[in-house]
Amino acid sequence: SMAEIFSRFIRLGNPKASIRFYDALRGQLPSHTSECDSYVITGSPSSAYDSESWIQKLEGFIRNLHETKSPTVGICFGHQVIAKALGGLVTKGPGWGIGVHSYKWSEDLKLSEYEWFSPAINSIKAVASHQDCVVNLPKGATLLAGSQFCPNGMFAVDDHIWTIQTHPELSKAFVKDLYNMRRSRFADDTYHDAIGSLSESVDAPTISAWIAKHTQLHKDKRKKRRMVLNDDDGSRSMLCSIARGVSYAVFAALVFKQLLLVAN
């Protein structure tokens, strides 16, 4: 299931993650952004510009996440719906983006300003499966990386939101089956090029580590504030993932504990 696939991906960056899932398609969203320490919004067969009520509710929650500067990551549909919720534009592209796609960092990007992108790599490779693209970034967003097919492939808003259009959670074996199942949707050269590209390596472990580090950086900031306020010891944090998979929607909460606590 998509829940299992996403769980495996998250555990590449944090093997100790414990996960529970909620159905976002049925409107199960947190009552407040403080319910979780960090959020990931993942893929969907829906389009960000669809008029479904659950998407509109999700957009409202995304705006709340932005207003409260809650750490948030968007993947594929998540990348698109975050852009749209914050004032960007998403449209259907001229064709399908499938296969292993490689994103290049923006030339004028100061990567050192984004601490969680460690280890740094020269390009970002992951499998893709999309037609829709972010064509206009939200106001205040910074372009991180992209490709010829998808120029706005990654963006950030301050240090609390970052997104990526590809599907780092999906394996090459999974997407090969998916492409074969959807064979009639693709032009011949698009399909054959995509299948051929699956011999290339992908950066799923690195991207998963970035998500874990993004969460940890914000957790550390909150812990420092709590220490100043004499609140609590910050012994645990939570990362919630809003996901709509290939055939359903889930909202997942991933609970992370400090390594010291895990060892006890």
Side-chain angles (χ1 to χ4, degrees), residues 124-168:
I124 308 100
K125 287 188 174 184
V127 296
S129 182
H130 69 101
Q131 283 184 291
D132 296 343
C133 294
V134 175
V135 294
N136 291 337
L137 295 178
K139 184 178 179 180
T142 298
L143 178 63
L144 297 174
S147 65
Q148 184 175 358
F149 181 84
C150 185
N152 295 324
M154 290 176 67
F155 71 85
V157 180
D158 297 329
D159 72 343
H160 60 284
I161 292 175
W162 70 277
T163 72
I164 186 168
Q165 173 59 68
T166 50
H167 274 289

Side-chain angles (χ1 to χ4, degrees), residues 96 98 178-188 191:
W96 278 91
I98 57 174
L178 181 65
Y179 300 158
N180 286 331
M181 182 178 69
R182 296 176 172 179
R183 176 67 182 86
S184 61
R185 303 185 188 187
F186 311 133
D188 287 345
Y191 170 78

Side-chain angles (χ1 to χ4, degrees), residues 18 26 31 38 59 65 85 95 102 193 199 207 213 220 228:
S18 120
R26 297 179 181 177
S31 58
S38 183
E59 286 186 23
L65 290 172
S102 179
D193 287 348
S199 62
I207 298 169
K213 289 179 181 180
D220 291 344
V228 171

Side-chain angles (χ1 to χ4, degrees), residues 100-103 121 123-127 166 200-204 207:
V100 174
H101 281 210
S102 179
Y103 289 170
I121 52 180
S123 61
I124 308 100
K125 287 188 174 184
V127 296
T166 50
E200 301 177 26
S201 61
V202 293
D203 297 310
I207 298 169

Side-chain angles (χ1 to χ4, degrees), residues 44-66:
S44 170
S46 297
S47 293
Y49 46 76
D50 287 346
S51 59
E52 297 177 41
S53 61
W54 73 271
I55 296 177
Q56 296 170 1
K57 291 177 181 177
L58 176 57
E59 286 186 23
F61 186 67
I62 289 167
R63 287 188 285 271
N64 289 339
L65 290 172
H66 177 46

Side-chain angles (χ1 to χ4, degrees), residues 78-128:
H79 162 83
Q80 298 163 8
V81 76
I82 289 173
K84 182 173 178 292
L86 300 183
L89 177 65
V90 179
T91 63
K92 189 176 295 295
W96 278 91
I98 57 174
V100 174
H101 281 210
S102 179
Y103 289 170
K104 300 294 184 182
W105 298 107
S106 296
E107 290 184 4
D108 57 350
L109 181 69
K110 296 180 180 178
L111 195 58
S112 60
E113 295 180 358
Y114 302 90
E115 300 176 63
W116 62 89
F117 290 132
S118 175
I121 52 180
N122 291 330
S123 61
I124 308 100
K125 287 188 174 184
V127 296

Side-chain angles (χ1 to χ4, degrees), residues 192-230:
H192 291 299
D193 287 348
I195 295 299
S197 74
L198 296 181
S199 62
E200 301 177 26
S201 61
V202 293
D203 297 310
T206 298
I207 298 169
S208 181
W210 290 346
I211 293 173
K213 289 179 181 180
H214 188 243
T215 299
Q216 187 64 46
L217 283 169
H218 283 270
K219 175 184 173 180
D220 291 344
K221 289 181 180 179
R222 286 189 296 269
K223 184 177 180 181
K224 288 178 181 178
R225 288 196 293 267
R226 284 194 294 262
M227 290 174 66
V228 171
L229 295 173
N230 243 354

